[in-house]
Amino acid sequence: ARFGHTESYWRHPLRWNAEASAAGRIARVFCGSLCDILDDHGPSHSGDLYLPELRERVFRLVPQTPNLMWLFLTKRPENWHMLPSEWREAWPKNAMFGFTAENQEWLEKRRHHWLKASREIFGMQLFLSCEPLLGPIDIDKCYRIHDGDGLCDHEGIGIDWLICGGESGHHARPMHPDWARSLRDQCKSA
């Protein structure tokens, strides 16, 4: 059954939250790992999360699950306005918003939408997913890297977390290990 079409799927986050709370920890939830939460063009691979009512239902789960850190990833940061309007006043402490940058070109193309969102939404936690990493990325071209400052642009809007990985599957495109090492080193120096 596709996500959104079976009620039992909607109960999983409540159970995960209870388990994390009992264990005294925060668990990460990569929401829609096979789809794009901000897609507005049609069905995703895993269901119909592009439908506004299902997207809203996912967003309503966030305040109900304080022991879950929700990770919302998109290749469409220009659709940030689809995020809940109430989050613009107070970004939930248990949600992170990220975008995918497969190489330098995509980092530079998507970055300005992401920065616009982070200027409009107070306290937004941001992450960058370089997965699948299909080419080298020089973060310093978009963000300054200085000892102790982290990865920030000239306005101080930065990256809280960076994910890096290769592509998998039968027709996976190669990732050169030096690209991943470079990202590691850039993060370490920041």
Side-chain angles (χ1 to χ4, degrees):
R2 296 183 309 179
F3 189 82
H5 294 275
T6 304
E7 270 312 300
S8 66
Y9 280 104
W10 293 100
R11 290 190 294 273
H12 289 314
L14 300 172
R15 188 191 65 202
W16 301 333
N17 184 70
E19 291 168 357
S21 178
R25 63 181 178 84
I26 302 294
R28 288 188 182 125
V29 175
F30 201 146
C31 183
S33 63
L34 297 176
C35 67
D36 189 324
I37 192 77
L38 299 184
D39 187 359
D40 59 352
H41 293 100
S44 66
H45 296 299
S46 65
D48 296 324
L49 271 178
Y50 75 98
L51 293 172
E53 62 271 15
L54 295 179
R55 185 182 303 117
E56 289 168 18
R57 190 170 180 185
V58 168
F59 292 146
R60 282 195 309 267
L61 279 170
V62 172
Q64 297 174 37
T65 54
N67 286 84
L68 301 180
M69 174 56 75
W70 290 85
L71 307 173
F72 296 107
L73 181 64
T74 188
K75 288 186 178 187
R76 296 166 181 85
E78 67 274 14
N79 290 340
W80 66 269
H81 62 277
M82 293 177 168
L83 294 167
S85 59
E86 62 270 17
W87 289 11
R88 293 181 193 164
E89 298 299 319
W91 183 261
K93 292 183 189 308
N94 64 326
M96 292 184 83
F97 178 56
F99 79 95
T100 301
E102 302 92 324
N103 54 32
Q104 190 72 34
E105 176 185 5
W106 284 111
L107 175 63
E108 292 174 15
K109 282 182 178 179
R110 293 180 177 135
R111 173 182 168 268
H112 71 280
H113 298 293
W114 191 48
L115 292 175
K116 182 173 180 174
S118 61
R119 283 186 205 104
E120 298 279 333
I121 302 176
F122 178 74
M124 179 182 262
Q125 297 181 75
L126 302 168
F127 71 97
L128 177 63
S129 175
C130 302
E131 188 173 13
L133 185 57
L134 302 177
I137 293 179
D138 181 356
I139 295 173
D140 205 31
K141 286 185 177 179
C142 295
Y143 298 91
R144 70 179 189 273
I145 300 177
H146 301 290
D147 258 350
D149 284 350
L151 302 173
C152 299
D153 74 349
H154 66 281
E155 295 180 40
I157 297 169
I159 300 168
D160 296 302
W161 188 37
L162 188 139
I163 301 167
C164 173
E167 194 169 46
S168 59
H170 184 64
H171 298 289
R173 294 164 285 183
M175 179 189 80
H176 197 287
D178 286 345
W179 302 339
R181 289 183 189 110
S182 172
L183 284 175
R184 177 204 59 202
D185 294 346
Q186 292 175 70
C187 288
K188 186 175 179 182
S189 47

